[in-house]
Amino acid sequence: MTRNSVAEHTSIHGLWATRSIFILAATGSAIGLGSIWKFPYITGMHGGGAFVLVYLACVLLVGVPVMMAEILMGRRGRASPVNAMQKLVQESAVSRRWVLIGWLGTVAAFLILSFYAMIAGWALDYTVLSAQGAFDGISAAGTLAAFAELKLSPYTMLLWHSVFMVMTIYVVARGVQNGLARAVRWLMPLLFLLLFVLLGYAFTTGHFMQGVHFLFDVDFSQFGRDTFLVALGQVFFTLSLGMASMMAYGAYMPQQQSIAQSAVIIVMLDTIFSLIAGLMIFPIVFSWGLEPAQGPGLMFVTLPLAFGNLPFGVLFGTLFFALVVVAAWLSAIALAEPFVAWAVEKGMRRPTAAALVGVASWALGIFSILSFNTLSGDEFRIYGKTFYEAIDFLSSNILLPIGGILIAVFVGWTMKETKVMKELAIKNQVLYIAWRIAIRVVAPLAILAVFLDFFGVFGA
Ligand code: TRP
């Protein structure tokens, strides 16, 4: 093999040793707070089955095609998102401005990491509190007070935020083979094991079918204008799309592996996980007569109450929050990787790069922490949003859809089709054409419509 052909089929960071490791790593990135925390609460807020239906349609029509596009860009580029884009624009001889996609994604992932660590820190705190029996026999007023107290305790939040960030950076610092792949190999089986144990537990609450009806009975009167917006936003967030993370992981993907098949498996696993998370949470919510449309507090307020008053609640409550921590950990690793990989390509040692990215993101996260207490006043708000809300909004609702559209347009219209076809290697013509239409037309238009509607372009 010549030196050149070696360079083409690997990255300086190494590769995932096997096909299943790539799939597990990408699935680990996808499954996170988005599936366990966000999916159930927004489903609860948007009426259950009707929302789930729209969500599934968005997964299929936009999620799968964009996931394929991102993985293919990463693997073709074989480098961090920024440098992968450099290579792709050269190869297709198009404007260097497209490298913006790489930067946008890298920055969005970095921003998300800053508050992701904070929320994962809450879950760490709740794991420890559950294990200590702090929620045993707790009252509704008690869990509300506990959550309120956490938000008013910057030092407690800072402690767990820091612990979580160290856990994340430790893995990233050890590199693709010794860090990322190893974490994935151990934690993914654990994640699914925990999920099934908890699902079994939900069966025993006696309200399982109520949860099933809530998730799968479609009530058309529940369709609202914002259903599509929220569903599509959730699809991007939960599948880790639009922000270069899938590109970063795709860069380490073995050359012979099928991109389409992998994307379908990753999306299916994430979707199944989200649905099971719902099936696990709603029966507990109903058995306790709680309000499904709680909002973000659903997980942190209602579940300790439920677990605290169910048999074996200390054990299962602890397992539940541990599940959240593990899922968030694998996602956080993927959020840090694009920036770290870029710095390593600039000549930095990986541990140094990981530490720098970690410290910067950690420091930014402190402002999110303070935005719940010290800096919650009106004078610290940005367009009425606290710092945390503003960063979440900027990354999830603005950078992410913009990234998504640019990715779809780049792969669909700008990249040379011969290169795209070579990388995808889809033999079935019908499938290829379906994907091509989805990535050229359906995905960009859907994202654009949702994005513009959000800013009131089509009237109130
Ligand atoms: N998908 C993750 C979740 O569901 C969150 C996330 C969004 C993410 N974008 C990402 C994770 C990019 C890794 C990389 O919680």
Side-chain angles (χ1 to χ4, degrees), residues 1 23 39 67 97 109 126 136 180 212 229 232 239 241 288 317 327 337 354 360 363-365 421 424-425 432:
M1 232 187 262
I23 291 182
F39 179 78
M67 169 85 67
R97 296 220 179 100
Y126 270 55
D136 205 10
L180 279 59
V212 173
L229 165 69
L232 195 64
L239 295 177
L241 296 177
W288 204 243
E337 180 63 19
L364 188 66
M421 288 175 84
L424 273 186
Y432 176 74

Side-chain angles (χ1 to χ4, degrees), residues 108-125:
F110 173 82
L111 294 178
I112 291 186
L113 179 61
S114 76
F115 67 81
Y116 207 81
M118 170 186 77
I119 298 178
W122 298 352
L124 266 174
D125 185 43

Side-chain angles (χ1 to χ4, degrees), residues 29-35 112 116 237-240 243 245 331 334-335:
S29 146
I31 294 173
L33 296 170
S35 320
I112 291 186
Y116 207 81
F237 190 85
T238 190
L239 295 177
S240 308
M243 58 181 83
S245 277
S331 298
L335 286 167

Side-chain angles (χ1 to χ4, degrees), residues 13 172-173 340-341 343-357:
H13 313 282
V172 177
V340 173
V344 171
E345 286 157 12
K346 284 274 157 207
M348 212 180 264
R349 288 180 54 242
R350 187 173 261 271
T352 316
L356 282 179
V357 170

Side-chain angles (χ1 to χ4, degrees), residues 439-450:
I439 204 71
R440 290 191 122 189
V441 186
V442 181
L445 286 185
I447 307 169
L448 190 68
V450 158

Side-chain angles (χ1 to χ4, degrees), residues 60-134:
L60 203 68
L61 293 176
V62 182
V64 175
V66 174
M67 169 85 67
M68 286 168 60
E70 266 195 51
I71 296 175
L72 107 81
M73 288 159 85
R75 190 169 72 182
R76 187 100 200 138
R78 285 280 183 228
S80 67
V82 170
N83 288 323
M85 284 309 300
Q86 306 266 20
K87 182 171 164 203
L88 295 184
V89 298
Q90 273 169 19
E91 181 183 79
S92 289
V94 295
S95 164
R96 287 183 45 93
R97 296 220 179 100
W98 286 104
V99 175
L100 180 72
I101 293 180
W103 278 117
L104 217 65
T106 304
V107 169
F110 173 82
L111 294 178
I112 291 186
L113 179 61
S114 76
F115 67 81
Y116 207 81
M118 170 186 77
I119 298 178
W122 298 352
L124 266 174
D125 185 43
Y126 270 55
T127 311
V128 174
L129 288 176
S130 301
Q132 289 171 340

